[in-house]
Amino acid sequence: MLELTHILLPGGPRRVAPFSHAVRAGDFLFVTGQMPTMPEDNTRCVEGDVAVQTRQVISNLHSVLAGSGALWERIAMARIYLTRFERDYAAMNAVWEAAFPPGALPARTTVGVTGLALGALVEIDLVVAL
């Protein structure tokens, strides 16, 4: 049976709900969707447009990966959720693409949703190869 390790990082982004920051399953790390909150304040999102919020989400994801012993370069799959898909898709894509070396983008699904916690514009979760 595949062993699961639930990771809750004391120094990671403060959670907005009851979940683990990540779960290790074999050679993969499943990272909970991160919000554009400041690591020390989970009660509100950073102020700004989807580009600002996407940069904060990426920062929070980096924090979770570092605390879990995983590498950004090993992201296999990302799911991105946008509340204003038509308006924000291009701006989010620009920030996302800039976070990776050319030709090294992970697989990805992006969906429009009716709402996210705290009124966030964007949330991203990951599957990372260890």
Side-chain angles (χ1 to χ4, degrees):
M1 179 175 284
L2 188 63
E3 184 175 329
L4 300 180
T5 303
H6 297 84
I7 300 169
L8 184 57
L9 303 168
R14 291 190 57 206
R15 301 173 303 149
V16 299
F19 53 71
S20 297
H21 283 105
V23 175
R24 182 181 180 152
D27 292 333
F28 291 93
L29 185 71
F30 296 84
V31 180
T32 295
Q34 291 299 302
M35 307 298 297
T37 56
M38 297 299 292
E40 67 281 353
D41 183 2
N42 67 343
T43 63
R44 61 184 176 84
C45 295
V46 295
E47 293 185 26
D49 63 12
V50 74
V52 170
Q53 288 198 7
T54 302
R55 282 190 283 280
Q56 185 60 49
V57 169
I58 289 171
S59 176
N60 290 348
L61 288 167
H62 274 286
S63 176
V64 172
L65 293 183
S68 301
L71 300 173
W72 182 259
E73 296 79 20
R74 300 285 294 163
I75 298 171
M77 176 69 184
R79 281 182 297 256
I80 302 176
Y81 308 90
L82 295 171
T83 58
R84 303 288 301 269
F85 193 93
E86 295 292 328
R87 183 191 74 183
D88 291 343
Y89 187 69
M92 178 280 301
N93 274 331
V95 174
W96 180 253
E97 187 172 18
F100 296 92
L105 292 165
R108 188 184 98 183
T109 299
T110 305
V111 296
V113 296
T114 59
L116 294 168
L118 305 176
L121 299 173
V122 59
E123 179 176 354
I124 303 172
D125 65 51
L126 304 174
V127 178
V128 182
L130 298 172

mmCIF file of all heavy atoms in Angstrom, residues 29-72:
data_model
loop_
_atom_site.group_PDB
_atom_site.id
_atom_site.type_symbol
_atom_site.label_atom_id
_atom_site.label_comp_id
_atom_site.label_asym_id
_atom_site.label_seq_id
_atom_site.Cartn_x
_atom_site.Cartn_y
_atom_site.Cartn_z
ATOM 1 N N LEU A 29 4.471 14.761 -4.908
ATOM 2 C CA LEU A 29 3.973 15.677 -3.887
ATOM 3 C C LEU A 29 2.756 16.387 -4.466
ATOM 4 O O LEU A 29 2.834 16.980 -5.555
ATOM 5 C CB LEU A 29 5.046 16.709 -3.526
ATOM 6 C CG LEU A 29 4.705 17.658 -2.385
ATOM 7 C CD1 LEU A 29 4.703 16.908 -1.051
ATOM 8 C CD2 LEU A 29 5.698 18.817 -2.349
ATOM 9 N N PHE A 30 1.646 16.309 -3.755
ATOM 10 C CA PHE A 30 0.411 16.977 -4.157
ATOM 11 C C PHE A 30 0.272 18.211 -3.274
ATOM 12 O O PHE A 30 0.117 18.086 -2.055
ATOM 13 C CB PHE A 30 -0.780 16.029 -3.995
ATOM 14 C CG PHE A 30 -0.697 14.841 -4.905
ATOM 15 C CD1 PHE A 30 0.031 13.723 -4.538
ATOM 16 C CD2 PHE A 30 -1.324 14.868 -6.147
ATOM 17 C CE1 PHE A 30 0.130 12.627 -5.388
ATOM 18 C CE2 PHE A 30 -1.229 13.780 -6.995
ATOM 19 C CZ PHE A 30 -0.497 12.654 -6.617
ATOM 20 N N VAL A 31 0.358 19.381 -3.880
ATOM 21 C CA VAL A 31 0.353 20.639 -3.142
ATOM 22 C C VAL A 31 -1.043 21.247 -3.184
ATOM 23 O O VAL A 31 -1.605 21.456 -4.262
ATOM 24 C CB VAL A 31 1.393 21.630 -3.714
ATOM 25 C CG1 VAL A 31 1.368 22.944 -2.939
ATOM 26 C CG2 VAL A 31 2.786 21.004 -3.686
ATOM 27 N N THR A 32 -1.572 21.537 -2.006
ATOM 28 C CA THR A 32 -2.884 22.164 -1.897
ATOM 29 C C THR A 32 -2.885 23.503 -2.620
ATOM 30 O O THR A 32 -1.884 24.228 -2.611
ATOM 31 C CB THR A 32 -3.224 22.387 -0.411
ATOM 32 O OG1 THR A 32 -3.350 21.114 0.205
ATOM 33 C CG2 THR A 32 -4.500 23.169 -0.239
ATOM 34 N N GLY A 33 -4.008 23.839 -3.221
ATOM 35 C CA GLY A 33 -4.145 25.127 -3.888
ATOM 36 C C GLY A 33 -3.770 26.262 -2.957
ATOM 37 O O GLY A 33 -4.257 26.348 -1.838
ATOM 38 N N GLN A 34 -2.894 27.116 -3.439
ATOM 39 C CA GLN A 34 -2.457 28.262 -2.656
ATOM 40 C C GLN A 34 -3.206 29.509 -3.106
ATOM 41 O O GLN A 34 -3.514 29.686 -4.279
ATOM 42 C CB GLN A 34 -0.950 28.461 -2.786
ATOM 43 C CG GLN A 34 -0.150 27.368 -2.124
ATOM 44 C CD GLN A 34 -0.419 27.274 -0.639
ATOM 45 O OE1 GLN A 34 -0.238 28.240 0.101
ATOM 46 N NE2 GLN A 34 -0.881 26.113 -0.195
ATOM 47 N N MET A 35 -3.474 30.337 -2.119
ATOM 48 C CA MET A 35 -4.212 31.579 -2.326
ATOM 49 C C MET A 35 -3.226 32.744 -2.364
ATOM 50 O O MET A 35 -2.105 32.626 -1.895
ATOM 51 C CB MET A 35 -5.199 31.783 -1.166
ATOM 52 C CG MET A 35 -6.125 30.615 -0.909
ATOM 53 S SD MET A 35 -7.189 30.243 -2.296
ATOM 54 C CE MET A 35 -8.131 31.741 -2.378
ATOM 55 N N PRO A 36 -3.646 33.899 -2.831
ATOM 56 C CA PRO A 36 -2.773 35.073 -2.856
ATOM 57 C C PRO A 36 -2.778 35.826 -1.523
ATOM 58 O O PRO A 36 -2.962 37.043 -1.468
ATOM 59 C CB PRO A 36 -3.362 35.915 -3.995
ATOM 60 C CG PRO A 36 -4.814 35.576 -3.981
ATOM 61 C CD PRO A 36 -4.879 34.122 -3.595
ATOM 62 N N THR A 37 -2.590 35.075 -0.450
ATOM 63 C CA THR A 37 -2.521 35.695 0.881
ATOM 64 C C THR A 37 -1.067 35.899 1.262
ATOM 65 O O THR A 37 -0.183 35.184 0.793
ATOM 66 C CB THR A 37 -3.182 34.787 1.936
ATOM 67 O OG1 THR A 37 -2.552 33.503 1.899
ATOM 68 C CG2 THR A 37 -4.674 34.648 1.701
ATOM 69 N N MET A 38 -0.834 36.872 2.124
ATOM 70 C CA MET A 38 0.495 37.042 2.680
ATOM 71 C C MET A 38 0.721 35.870 3.637
ATOM 72 O O MET A 38 -0.213 35.438 4.310
ATOM 73 C CB MET A 38 0.610 38.368 3.427
ATOM 74 C CG MET A 38 0.411 39.587 2.534
ATOM 75 S SD MET A 38 1.629 39.698 1.199
ATOM 76 C CE MET A 38 3.106 40.030 2.122
ATOM 77 N N PRO A 39 1.946 35.330 3.698
ATOM 78 C CA PRO A 39 2.178 34.146 4.534
ATOM 79 C C PRO A 39 1.742 34.317 5.986
ATOM 80 O O PRO A 39 1.258 33.389 6.603
ATOM 81 C CB PRO A 39 3.687 33.941 4.440
ATOM 82 C CG PRO A 39 4.069 34.557 3.139
ATOM 83 C CD PRO A 39 3.130 35.734 2.963
ATOM 84 N N GLU A 40 1.852 35.517 6.520
ATOM 85 C CA GLU A 40 1.520 35.736 7.934
ATOM 86 C C GLU A 40 0.072 36.174 8.162
ATOM 87 O O GLU A 40 -0.354 36.347 9.294
ATOM 88 C CB GLU A 40 2.482 36.754 8.550
ATOM 89 C CG GLU A 40 2.349 38.162 8.008
ATOM 90 C CD GLU A 40 3.009 38.396 6.650
ATOM 91 O OE1 GLU A 40 3.714 37.507 6.139
ATOM 92 O OE2 GLU A 40 2.810 39.495 6.095
ATOM 93 N N ASP A 41 -0.689 36.376 7.078
ATOM 94 C CA ASP A 41 -2.064 36.853 7.226
ATOM 95 C C ASP A 41 -2.984 36.100 6.267
ATOM 96 O O ASP A 41 -2.987 36.349 5.072
ATOM 97 C CB ASP A 41 -2.137 38.354 6.942
ATOM 98 C CG ASP A 41 -3.533 38.936 7.148
ATOM 99 O OD1 ASP A 41 -4.455 38.195 7.550
ATOM 100 O OD2 ASP A 41 -3.707 40.137 6.884
ATOM 101 N N ASN A 42 -3.767 35.176 6.820
ATOM 102 C CA ASN A 42 -4.653 34.377 5.980
ATOM 103 C C ASN A 42 -6.071 34.931 5.933
ATOM 104 O O ASN A 42 -6.974 34.258 5.461
ATOM 105 C CB ASN A 42 -4.681 32.931 6.461
ATOM 106 C CG ASN A 42 -5.332 32.795 7.825
ATOM 107 O OD1 ASN A 42 -5.489 33.772 8.560
ATOM 108 N ND2 ASN A 42 -5.701 31.582 8.178
ATOM 109 N N THR A 43 -6.256 36.157 6.394
ATOM 110 C CA THR A 43 -7.615 36.701 6.462
ATOM 111 C C THR A 43 -8.005 37.520 5.239
ATOM 112 O O THR A 43 -9.174 37.848 5.070
ATOM 113 C CB THR A 43 -7.792 37.586 7.709
ATOM 114 O OG1 THR A 43 -6.903 38.710 7.623
ATOM 115 C CG2 THR A 43 -7.513 36.789 8.980
ATOM 116 N N ARG A 44 -7.023 37.842 4.388
ATOM 117 C CA ARG A 44 -7.346 38.619 3.185
ATOM 118 C C ARG A 44 -6.277 38.391 2.124
ATOM 119 O O ARG A 44 -5.160 37.997 2.419
ATOM 120 C CB ARG A 44 -7.459 40.105 3.499
ATOM 121 C CG ARG A 44 -6.205 40.723 4.042
ATOM 122 C CD ARG A 44 -6.409 42.194 4.442
ATOM 123 N NE ARG A 44 -5.208 42.713 5.046
ATOM 124 C CZ ARG A 44 -4.172 43.199 4.380
ATOM 125 N NH1 ARG A 44 -4.189 43.243 3.070
ATOM 126 N NH2 ARG A 44 -3.114 43.658 5.008
ATOM 127 N N CYS A 45 -6.658 38.665 0.895
ATOM 128 C CA CYS A 45 -5.728 38.538 -0.224
ATOM 129 C C CYS A 45 -4.912 39.811 -0.375
ATOM 130 O O CYS A 45 -5.346 40.885 0.045
ATOM 131 C CB CYS A 45 -6.509 38.296 -1.520
ATOM 132 S SG CYS A 45 -7.386 36.733 -1.531
ATOM 133 N N VAL A 46 -3.740 39.673 -1.008
ATOM 134 C CA VAL A 46 -2.968 40.871 -1.314
ATOM 135 C C VAL A 46 -3.815 41.740 -2.242
ATOM 136 O O VAL A 46 -4.623 41.239 -3.020
ATOM 137 C CB VAL A 46 -1.618 40.538 -1.989
ATOM 138 C CG1 VAL A 46 -0.721 39.784 -1.044
ATOM 139 C CG2 VAL A 46 -1.806 39.792 -3.283
ATOM 140 N N GLU A 47 -3.644 43.032 -2.123
ATOM 141 C CA GLU A 47 -4.401 43.945 -2.974
ATOM 142 C C GLU A 47 -3.735 44.037 -4.335
ATOM 143 O O GLU A 47 -2.518 44.066 -4.439
ATOM 144 C CB GLU A 47 -4.481 45.318 -2.313
ATOM 145 C CG GLU A 47 -5.321 45.294 -1.049
ATOM 146 C CD GLU A 47 -5.505 46.676 -0.453
ATOM 147 O OE1 GLU A 47 -5.426 47.667 -1.215
ATOM 148 O OE2 GLU A 47 -5.728 46.751 0.757
ATOM 149 N N GLY A 48 -4.549 44.068 -5.370
ATOM 150 C CA GLY A 48 -4.023 44.216 -6.710
ATOM 151 C C GLY A 48 -4.756 43.339 -7.700
ATOM 152 O O GLY A 48 -5.657 42.578 -7.346
ATOM 153 N N ASP A 49 -4.328 43.456 -8.940
ATOM 154 C CA ASP A 49 -4.966 42.716 -10.025
ATOM 155 C C ASP A 49 -4.498 41.263 -10.036
ATOM 156 O O ASP A 49 -3.751 40.826 -9.157
ATOM 157 C CB ASP A 49 -4.710 43.412 -11.358
ATOM 158 C CG ASP A 49 -3.234 43.458 -11.741
ATOM 159 O OD1 ASP A 49 -2.394 42.766 -11.109
ATOM 160 O OD2 ASP A 49 -2.913 44.186 -12.697
ATOM 161 N N VAL A 50 -4.913 40.522 -11.054
ATOM 162 C CA VAL A 50 -4.588 39.095 -11.109
ATOM 163 C C VAL A 50 -3.086 38.870 -11.248
ATOM 164 O O VAL A 50 -2.563 37.867 -10.764
ATOM 165 C CB VAL A 50 -5.376 38.371 -12.217
ATOM 166 C CG1 VAL A 50 -4.825 38.703 -13.601
ATOM 167 C CG2 VAL A 50 -5.410 36.871 -11.974
ATOM 168 N N ALA A 51 -2.353 39.777 -11.871
ATOM 169 C CA ALA A 51 -0.902 39.622 -11.978
ATOM 170 C C ALA A 51 -0.262 39.693 -10.595
ATOM 171 O O ALA A 51 0.587 38.862 -10.247
ATOM 172 C CB ALA A 51 -0.317 40.678 -12.913
ATOM 173 N N VAL A 52 -0.654 40.667 -9.798
ATOM 174 C CA VAL A 52 -0.144 40.802 -8.426
ATOM 175 C C VAL A 52 -0.504 39.563 -7.615
ATOM 176 O O VAL A 52 0.336 38.989 -6.906
ATOM 177 C CB VAL A 52 -0.705 42.081 -7.764
ATOM 178 C CG1 VAL A 52 -0.385 42.118 -6.277
ATOM 179 C CG2 VAL A 52 -0.182 43.323 -8.463
ATOM 180 N N GLN A 53 -1.752 39.130 -7.731
ATOM 181 C CA GLN A 53 -2.191 37.965 -6.969
ATOM 182 C C GLN A 53 -1.491 36.690 -7.442
ATOM 183 O O GLN A 53 -1.123 35.843 -6.631
ATOM 184 C CB GLN A 53 -3.712 37.825 -7.027
ATOM 185 C CG GLN A 53 -4.412 38.892 -6.202
ATOM 186 C CD GLN A 53 -5.849 38.537 -5.889
ATOM 187 O OE1 GLN A 53 -6.335 37.451 -6.161
ATOM 188 N NE2 GLN A 53 -6.543 39.485 -5.273
ATOM 189 N N THR A 54 -1.274 36.543 -8.735
ATOM 190 C CA THR A 54 -0.580 35.356 -9.242
ATOM 191 C C THR A 54 0.852 35.308 -8.724
ATOM 192 O O THR A 54 1.342 34.247 -8.329
ATOM 193 C CB THR A 54 -0.608 35.313 -10.785
ATOM 194 O OG1 THR A 54 -1.967 35.315 -11.220
ATOM 195 C CG2 THR A 54 0.102 34.080 -11.323
ATOM 196 N N ARG A 55 1.538 36.449 -8.691
ATOM 197 C CA ARG A 55 2.895 36.485 -8.141
ATOM 198 C C ARG A 55 2.904 36.053 -6.672
ATOM 199 O O ARG A 55 3.804 35.327 -6.238
ATOM 200 C CB ARG A 55 3.514 37.872 -8.314
ATOM 201 C CG ARG A 55 4.019 38.120 -9.725
ATOM 202 C CD ARG A 55 4.850 39.384 -9.840
ATOM 203 N NE ARG A 55 4.059 40.598 -9.846
ATOM 204 C CZ ARG A 55 3.425 41.086 -10.904
ATOM 205 N NH1 ARG A 55 3.495 40.461 -12.064
ATOM 206 N NH2 ARG A 55 2.728 42.189 -10.818
ATOM 207 N N GLN A 56 1.897 36.465 -5.907
ATOM 208 C CA GLN A 56 1.840 36.065 -4.499
ATOM 209 C C GLN A 56 1.554 34.567 -4.362
ATOM 210 O O GLN A 56 2.125 33.896 -3.515
ATOM 211 C CB GLN A 56 0.783 36.870 -3.732
ATOM 212 C CG GLN A 56 0.767 36.580 -2.242
ATOM 213 C CD GLN A 56 2.091 36.901 -1.570
ATOM 214 O OE1 GLN A 56 2.637 37.986 -1.764
ATOM 215 N NE2 GLN A 56 2.623 35.976 -0.794
ATOM 216 N N VAL A 57 0.657 34.055 -5.196
ATOM 217 C CA VAL A 57 0.384 32.612 -5.179
ATOM 218 C C VAL A 57 1.670 31.849 -5.481
ATOM 219 O O VAL A 57 1.997 30.872 -4.803
ATOM 220 C CB VAL A 57 -0.734 32.240 -6.178
ATOM 221 C CG1 VAL A 57 -0.829 30.731 -6.356
ATOM 222 C CG2 VAL A 57 -2.072 32.801 -5.720
ATOM 223 N N ILE A 58 2.421 32.277 -6.492
ATOM 224 C CA ILE A 58 3.675 31.606 -6.845
ATOM 225 C C ILE A 58 4.658 31.673 -5.677
ATOM 226 O O ILE A 58 5.333 30.688 -5.369
ATOM 227 C CB ILE A 58 4.257 32.200 -8.146
ATOM 228 C CG1 ILE A 58 3.387 31.761 -9.333
ATOM 229 C CG2 ILE A 58 5.717 31.791 -8.343
ATOM 230 C CD1 ILE A 58 3.719 32.443 -10.646
ATOM 231 N N SER A 59 4.730 32.798 -5.010
ATOM 232 C CA SER A 59 5.585 32.924 -3.834
ATOM 233 C C SER A 59 5.159 31.921 -2.749
ATOM 234 O O SER A 59 6.003 31.259 -2.139
ATOM 235 C CB SER A 59 5.526 34.354 -3.288
ATOM 236 O OG SER A 59 6.267 34.461 -2.102
ATOM 237 N N ASN A 60 3.866 31.806 -2.516
ATOM 238 C CA ASN A 60 3.373 30.865 -1.518
ATOM 239 C C ASN A 60 3.668 29.422 -1.934
ATOM 240 O O ASN A 60 4.014 28.587 -1.088
ATOM 241 C CB ASN A 60 1.878 31.076 -1.274
ATOM 242 C CG ASN A 60 1.596 32.384 -0.551
ATOM 243 O OD1 ASN A 60 2.499 33.035 -0.034
ATOM 244 N ND2 ASN A 60 0.346 32.778 -0.536
ATOM 245 N N LEU A 61 3.546 29.123 -3.227
ATOM 246 C CA LEU A 61 3.876 27.781 -3.708
ATOM 247 C C LEU A 61 5.362 27.483 -3.514
ATOM 248 O O LEU A 61 5.731 26.387 -3.087
ATOM 249 C CB LEU A 61 3.485 27.637 -5.182
ATOM 250 C CG LEU A 61 1.985 27.565 -5.462
ATOM 251 C CD1 LEU A 61 1.716 27.757 -6.950
ATOM 252 C CD2 LEU A 61 1.393 26.262 -4.959
ATOM 253 N N HIS A 62 6.218 28.446 -3.805
ATOM 254 C CA HIS A 62 7.654 28.272 -3.563
ATOM 255 C C HIS A 62 7.910 27.936 -2.102
ATOM 256 O O HIS A 62 8.724 27.060 -1.788
ATOM 257 C CB HIS A 62 8.430 29.539 -3.943
ATOM 258 C CG HIS A 62 8.821 29.615 -5.381
ATOM 259 N ND1 HIS A 62 9.831 28.872 -5.945
ATOM 260 C CD2 HIS A 62 8.316 30.380 -6.386
ATOM 261 C CE1 HIS A 62 9.949 29.170 -7.222
ATOM 262 N NE2 HIS A 62 9.033 30.084 -7.522
ATOM 263 N N SER A 63 7.229 28.620 -1.200
ATOM 264 C CA SER A 63 7.391 28.379 0.230
ATOM 265 C C SER A 63 7.005 26.951 0.606
ATOM 266 O O SER A 63 7.710 26.272 1.350
ATOM 267 C CB SER A 63 6.545 29.390 1.008
ATOM 268 O OG SER A 63 6.603 29.141 2.384
ATOM 269 N N VAL A 64 5.882 26.492 0.081
ATOM 270 C CA VAL A 64 5.431 25.126 0.383
ATOM 271 C C VAL A 64 6.405 24.106 -0.206
ATOM 272 O O VAL A 64 6.767 23.120 0.459
ATOM 273 C CB VAL A 64 3.995 24.888 -0.129
ATOM 274 C CG1 VAL A 64 3.606 23.420 0.013
ATOM 275 C CG2 VAL A 64 3.010 25.775 0.631
ATOM 276 N N LEU A 65 6.857 24.324 -1.424
ATOM 277 C CA LEU A 65 7.800 23.388 -2.027
ATOM 278 C C LEU A 65 9.100 23.339 -1.235
ATOM 279 O O LEU A 65 9.621 22.251 -0.949
ATOM 280 C CB LEU A 65 8.073 23.750 -3.490
ATOM 281 C CG LEU A 65 6.912 23.594 -4.457
ATOM 282 C CD1 LEU A 65 7.353 23.912 -5.882
ATOM 283 C CD2 LEU A 65 6.306 22.216 -4.394
ATOM 284 N N ALA A 66 9.633 24.493 -0.876
ATOM 285 C CA ALA A 66 10.878 24.526 -0.111
ATOM 286 C C ALA A 66 10.714 23.807 1.227
ATOM 287 O O ALA A 66 11.565 23.013 1.629
ATOM 288 C CB ALA A 66 11.329 25.969 0.109
ATOM 289 N N GLY A 67 9.613 24.067 1.904
ATOM 290 C CA GLY A 67 9.367 23.430 3.196
ATOM 291 C C GLY A 67 9.109 21.942 3.096
ATOM 292 O O GLY A 67 9.259 21.204 4.079
ATOM 293 N N SER A 68 8.746 21.476 1.906
ATOM 294 C CA SER A 68 8.464 20.057 1.679
ATOM 295 C C SER A 68 9.644 19.317 1.057
ATOM 296 O O SER A 68 9.554 18.125 0.772
ATOM 297 C CB SER A 68 7.248 19.907 0.755
ATOM 298 O OG SER A 68 6.114 20.519 1.312
ATOM 299 N N GLY A 69 10.726 20.044 0.784
ATOM 300 C CA GLY A 69 11.894 19.423 0.170
ATOM 301 C C GLY A 69 11.736 19.161 -1.315
ATOM 302 O O GLY A 69 12.406 18.294 -1.875
ATOM 303 N N ALA A 70 10.860 19.888 -1.976
ATOM 304 C CA ALA A 70 10.616 19.702 -3.406
ATOM 305 C C ALA A 70 11.163 20.899 -4.179
ATOM 306 O O ALA A 70 11.374 21.972 -3.622
ATOM 307 C CB ALA A 70 9.118 19.545 -3.664
ATOM 308 N N LEU A 71 11.354 20.707 -5.467
ATOM 309 C CA LEU A 71 11.927 21.739 -6.316
ATOM 310 C C LEU A 71 10.899 22.280 -7.306
ATOM 311 O O LEU A 71 10.131 21.508 -7.899
ATOM 312 C CB LEU A 71 13.120 21.190 -7.103
ATOM 313 C CG LEU A 71 14.280 20.664 -6.268
ATOM 314 C CD1 LEU A 71 15.311 19.994 -7.172
ATOM 315 C CD2 LEU A 71 14.899 21.788 -5.462
ATOM 316 N N TRP A 72 10.925 23.582 -7.513
ATOM 317 C CA TRP A 72 10.045 24.249 -8.482
ATOM 318 C C TRP A 72 10.207 23.633 -9.870
ATOM 319 O O TRP A 72 9.239 23.434 -10.596
ATOM 320 C CB TRP A 72 10.368 25.742 -8.504
ATOM 321 C CG TRP A 72 9.500 26.543 -9.411
ATOM 322 C CD1 TRP A 72 9.819 26.986 -10.660
ATOM 323 C CD2 TRP A 72 8.164 26.996 -9.155
ATOM 324 N NE1 TRP A 72 8.766 27.698 -11.193
ATOM 325 C CE2 TRP A 72 7.736 27.719 -10.280
ATOM 326 C CE3 TRP A 72 7.303 26.857 -8.067
ATOM 327 C CZ2 TRP A 72 6.483 28.298 -10.370
ATOM 328 C CZ3 TRP A 72 6.041 27.441 -8.149
ATOM 329 C CH2 TRP A 72 5.645 28.151 -9.286
#
